[in-house]
Amino acid sequence: MKAIIQTGYNKTQIKEMPSIPLSPISIKVKTNFVPLLRYDLLKINGQVPTKLPSILGYGATGTVVAIGNLRSSSLLNKRVLILNPWGTFQEKITSNIPPLTIPILDNVSNEEATGLIGGADLALSLFKIVKNTFKQIIIYGADSVTGLVLMQLLTRFTKVPFIPKARTLSANYLKQKINEYNIKPDIEATAQKNNLIIDLVGSDINDKLYQHIQNNDEVISVAQNDLLGVKFISKPALPKDYSFLMNEISNNRLFIPINQIFNYKNFNEAIEYQTTSPSRGRNLISFKD
Ligand SMILES: NC(=O)c1ccc[n+]([C@@H]2O[C@H](COP(=O)([O-])OP(=O)(O)OC[C@H]3O[C@@H](n4cnc5c(N)ncnc54)[C@H](OP(=O)(O)O)[C@@H]3O)[C@@H](O)[C@H]2O)c1
């Protein structure tokens, strides 16, 4: 079984690994796709410390190929989204935590389900935090996967006014996605006191965030946890959150932007592409033959 292992900073290898034996409570999944996240890049380049060596990734989609004899066999041969803190960038994933294997609804594609991990799930957590606000929301990094999903949820379920912000090179992409996904931003936005700022970018926009802090705006960030005056948000999604998001997709109320798909054998190419390209949807790594 092949796995993508991080062996050092800026060092990854595709290695042959022994398959983990099936225990009575295990479930074994043949991997279809894993999402390539900014978090993975930060681990690879050493900005996020990690144990070395380790298998990259914590989420995947795939098909259940074996189930331990103490677990219900109802998921056998079914497509699932699987979360596994011990790594998912591998051809087969063995999990011993039953709730973290979530069935994929029939009319949700493997690509869309994979795109829920590390972006749409975060958007749902943010949505729950901000949905009852009386403030005007300003979203920096609105063209990100998280931003596009958050704006769809705000449009479908609230009347909260929100203003998307993206850098100039992503303005056309953002406009196109706003139309395609029927997102309704606040076009009559006026300069207002007491805004709620959402930072999906990180330290590259700190000059703007400082201005907001000076204006007494409330600032929350998912991208940096050490900025004075900014509340950091990191909240794991629950299995029922993924089921909710899949239900929205299957009812055509939620769209997940997917960009490039790379075979795992071309992992270095995927890293290079993601490092040098703006966000145009989630890039995926395929483990299909
Ligand atoms: N706290 C948590 O638990 C958690 C979990 C998952 C993700 N995250 C974080 O959540 C954020 C969104 O994730 P995502 O996967 O949706 O991100 P993404 O699709 O990779 O998008 C990143 C966003 O940052 C913008 N950006 C990058 N460099 C920039 C710069 N120099 N100046 C201005 N904007 C810049 C991108 O704009 P362009 O398209 O123009 O490049 C894009 O809007 C990321 O920061 C990620 O690390 C946090």
PDB file of all heavy atoms in Angstrom, residues 27-28 62-67 73-80:
ATOM      1  N   ILE A  27     -12.624  -0.342  10.391  1.00  0.00           N
ATOM      2  CA  ILE A  27     -13.242  -0.237   9.075  1.00  0.00           C
ATOM      3  C   ILE A  27     -12.108   0.112   8.118  1.00  0.00           C
ATOM      4  O   ILE A  27     -11.235   0.910   8.466  1.00  0.00           O
ATOM      5  CB  ILE A  27     -14.362   0.825   9.107  1.00  0.00           C
ATOM      6  CG1 ILE A  27     -15.236   0.737   7.885  1.00  0.00           C
ATOM      7  CG2 ILE A  27     -13.845   2.214   9.250  1.00  0.00           C
ATOM      8  CD1 ILE A  27     -16.573   1.422   8.099  1.00  0.00           C
ATOM      9  N   LYS A  28     -12.098  -0.552   6.957  1.00  0.00           N
ATOM     10  CA  LYS A  28     -11.011  -0.265   6.006  1.00  0.00           C
ATOM     11  C   LYS A  28     -11.610   0.371   4.752  1.00  0.00           C
ATOM     12  O   LYS A  28     -12.592  -0.138   4.195  1.00  0.00           O
ATOM     13  CB  LYS A  28     -10.257  -1.540   5.648  1.00  0.00           C
ATOM     14  CG  LYS A  28      -9.011  -1.256   4.829  1.00  0.00           C
ATOM     15  CD  LYS A  28      -8.143  -2.474   4.658  1.00  0.00           C
ATOM     16  CE  LYS A  28      -7.263  -2.714   5.858  1.00  0.00           C
ATOM     17  NZ  LYS A  28      -6.182  -3.645   5.630  1.00  0.00           N
ATOM     18  N   GLY A  62     -13.683   7.648   0.148  1.00  0.00           N
ATOM     19  CA  GLY A  62     -13.319   6.362  -0.436  1.00  0.00           C
ATOM     20  C   GLY A  62     -14.463   5.380  -0.319  1.00  0.00           C
ATOM     21  O   GLY A  62     -15.599   5.751   0.017  1.00  0.00           O
ATOM     22  N   THR A  63     -14.141   4.104  -0.580  1.00  0.00           N
ATOM     23  CA  THR A  63     -15.152   3.045  -0.542  1.00  0.00           C
ATOM     24  C   THR A  63     -14.761   2.035   0.525  1.00  0.00           C
ATOM     25  O   THR A  63     -13.595   1.641   0.608  1.00  0.00           O
ATOM     26  CB  THR A  63     -15.215   2.351  -1.922  1.00  0.00           C
ATOM     27  OG1 THR A  63     -15.456   3.350  -2.904  1.00  0.00           O
ATOM     28  CG2 THR A  63     -16.323   1.314  -1.972  1.00  0.00           C
ATOM     29  N   VAL A  64     -15.737   1.642   1.332  1.00  0.00           N
ATOM     30  CA  VAL A  64     -15.461   0.693   2.412  1.00  0.00           C
ATOM     31  C   VAL A  64     -15.216  -0.688   1.806  1.00  0.00           C
ATOM     32  O   VAL A  64     -16.052  -1.220   1.072  1.00  0.00           O
ATOM     33  CB  VAL A  64     -16.638   0.654   3.409  1.00  0.00           C
ATOM     34  CG1 VAL A  64     -16.387  -0.386   4.498  1.00  0.00           C
ATOM     35  CG2 VAL A  64     -16.844   2.035   4.030  1.00  0.00           C
ATOM     36  N   VAL A  65     -14.048  -1.282   2.111  1.00  0.00           N
ATOM     37  CA  VAL A  65     -13.700  -2.588   1.520  1.00  0.00           C
ATOM     38  C   VAL A  65     -13.656  -3.709   2.561  1.00  0.00           C
ATOM     39  O   VAL A  65     -13.658  -4.884   2.195  1.00  0.00           O
ATOM     40  CB  VAL A  65     -12.355  -2.533   0.741  1.00  0.00           C
ATOM     41  CG1 VAL A  65     -12.503  -1.730  -0.535  1.00  0.00           C
ATOM     42  CG2 VAL A  65     -11.229  -1.969   1.607  1.00  0.00           C
ATOM     43  N   ALA A  66     -13.584  -3.364   3.839  1.00  0.00           N
ATOM     44  CA  ALA A  66     -13.597  -4.419   4.866  1.00  0.00           C
ATOM     45  C   ALA A  66     -14.079  -3.818   6.183  1.00  0.00           C
ATOM     46  O   ALA A  66     -13.843  -2.636   6.464  1.00  0.00           O
ATOM     47  CB  ALA A  66     -12.191  -4.990   5.048  1.00  0.00           C
ATOM     48  N   ILE A  67     -14.766  -4.659   6.972  1.00  0.00           N
ATOM     49  CA  ILE A  67     -15.299  -4.188   8.262  1.00  0.00           C
ATOM     50  C   ILE A  67     -15.044  -5.269   9.312  1.00  0.00           C
ATOM     51  O   ILE A  67     -15.295  -6.458   9.064  1.00  0.00           O
ATOM     52  CB  ILE A  67     -16.818  -3.892   8.155  1.00  0.00           C
ATOM     53  CG1 ILE A  67     -17.064  -2.770   7.142  1.00  0.00           C
ATOM     54  CG2 ILE A  67     -17.411  -3.523   9.505  1.00  0.00           C
ATOM     55  CD1 ILE A  67     -18.468  -2.256   7.058  1.00  0.00           C
ATOM     56  N   SER A  73     -22.103  -4.325   9.292  1.00  0.00           N
ATOM     57  CA  SER A  73     -21.552  -4.440   7.937  1.00  0.00           C
ATOM     58  C   SER A  73     -22.311  -3.555   6.939  1.00  0.00           C
ATOM     59  O   SER A  73     -22.084  -3.630   5.734  1.00  0.00           O
ATOM     60  CB  SER A  73     -21.584  -5.893   7.483  1.00  0.00           C
ATOM     61  OG  SER A  73     -22.919  -6.325   7.506  1.00  0.00           O
ATOM     62  N   SER A  74     -23.221  -2.703   7.456  1.00  0.00           N
ATOM     63  CA  SER A  74     -24.083  -1.940   6.535  1.00  0.00           C
ATOM     64  C   SER A  74     -23.288  -0.982   5.622  1.00  0.00           C
ATOM     65  O   SER A  74     -23.770  -0.608   4.560  1.00  0.00           O
ATOM     66  CB  SER A  74     -25.139  -1.153   7.315  1.00  0.00           C
ATOM     67  OG  SER A  74     -24.499  -0.218   8.139  1.00  0.00           O
ATOM     68  N   LEU A  75     -22.082  -0.603   6.028  1.00  0.00           N
ATOM     69  CA  LEU A  75     -21.321   0.347   5.188  1.00  0.00           C
ATOM     70  C   LEU A  75     -20.463  -0.358   4.124  1.00  0.00           C
ATOM     71  O   LEU A  75     -19.825   0.318   3.311  1.00  0.00           O
ATOM     72  CB  LEU A  75     -20.405   1.204   6.072  1.00  0.00           C
ATOM     73  CG  LEU A  75     -21.054   2.357   6.840  1.00  0.00           C
ATOM     74  CD1 LEU A  75     -19.997   3.106   7.652  1.00  0.00           C
ATOM     75  CD2 LEU A  75     -21.758   3.341   5.897  1.00  0.00           C
ATOM     76  N   LEU A  76     -20.456  -1.696   4.137  1.00  0.00           N
ATOM     77  CA  LEU A  76     -19.588  -2.416   3.192  1.00  0.00           C
ATOM     78  C   LEU A  76     -19.928  -2.024   1.746  1.00  0.00           C
ATOM     79  O   LEU A  76     -21.106  -1.982   1.372  1.00  0.00           O
ATOM     80  CB  LEU A  76     -19.750  -3.928   3.385  1.00  0.00           C
ATOM     81  CG  LEU A  76     -18.638  -4.772   2.767  1.00  0.00           C
ATOM     82  CD1 LEU A  76     -17.261  -4.432   3.346  1.00  0.00           C
ATOM     83  CD2 LEU A  76     -18.922  -6.261   2.970  1.00  0.00           C
ATOM     84  N   ASN A  77     -18.906  -1.713   0.976  1.00  0.00           N
ATOM     85  CA  ASN A  77     -19.021  -1.288  -0.429  1.00  0.00           C
ATOM     86  C   ASN A  77     -19.654   0.096  -0.607  1.00  0.00           C
ATOM     87  O   ASN A  77     -19.933   0.507  -1.729  1.00  0.00           O
ATOM     88  CB  ASN A  77     -19.796  -2.306  -1.285  1.00  0.00           C
ATOM     89  CG  ASN A  77     -19.107  -3.643  -1.273  1.00  0.00           C
ATOM     90  OD1 ASN A  77     -17.877  -3.692  -1.317  1.00  0.00           O
ATOM     91  ND2 ASN A  77     -19.878  -4.719  -1.197  1.00  0.00           N
ATOM     92  N   LYS A  78     -19.908   0.796   0.495  1.00  0.00           N
ATOM     93  CA  LYS A  78     -20.517   2.137   0.398  1.00  0.00           C
ATOM     94  C   LYS A  78     -19.424   3.212   0.302  1.00  0.00           C
ATOM     95  O   LYS A  78     -18.306   3.041   0.792  1.00  0.00           O
ATOM     96  CB  LYS A  78     -21.382   2.420   1.636  1.00  0.00           C
ATOM     97  CG  LYS A  78     -22.574   1.493   1.758  1.00  0.00           C
ATOM     98  CD  LYS A  78     -23.758   2.081   1.042  1.00  0.00           C
ATOM     99  CE  LYS A  78     -24.922   1.165   0.787  1.00  0.00           C
ATOM    100  NZ  LYS A  78     -25.310   0.196   1.748  1.00  0.00           N
ATOM    101  N   ARG A  79     -19.791   4.339  -0.313  1.00  0.00           N
ATOM    102  CA  ARG A  79     -18.871   5.496  -0.372  1.00  0.00           C
ATOM    103  C   ARG A  79     -18.961   6.257   0.951  1.00  0.00           C
ATOM    104  O   ARG A  79     -20.070   6.483   1.454  1.00  0.00           O
ATOM    105  CB  ARG A  79     -19.265   6.425  -1.520  1.00  0.00           C
ATOM    106  CG  ARG A  79     -19.111   5.809  -2.898  1.00  0.00           C
ATOM    107  CD  ARG A  79     -19.477   6.810  -3.981  1.00  0.00           C
ATOM    108  NE  ARG A  79     -20.776   7.424  -3.754  1.00  0.00           N
ATOM    109  CZ  ARG A  79     -21.017   8.715  -3.875  1.00  0.00           C
ATOM    110  NH1 ARG A  79     -20.068   9.550  -4.244  1.00  0.00           N
ATOM    111  NH2 ARG A  79     -22.228   9.195  -3.678  1.00  0.00           N
ATOM    112  N   VAL A  80     -17.831   6.648   1.463  1.00  0.00           N
ATOM    113  CA  VAL A  80     -17.821   7.366   2.746  1.00  0.00           C
ATOM    114  C   VAL A  80     -16.830   8.528   2.725  1.00  0.00           C
ATOM    115  O   VAL A  80     -15.867   8.542   1.945  1.00  0.00           O
ATOM    116  CB  VAL A  80     -17.434   6.433   3.927  1.00  0.00           C
ATOM    117  CG1 VAL A  80     -18.512   5.395   4.197  1.00  0.00           C
ATOM    118  CG2 VAL A  80     -16.074   5.775   3.704  1.00  0.00           C
TER     119      VAL A  80
END
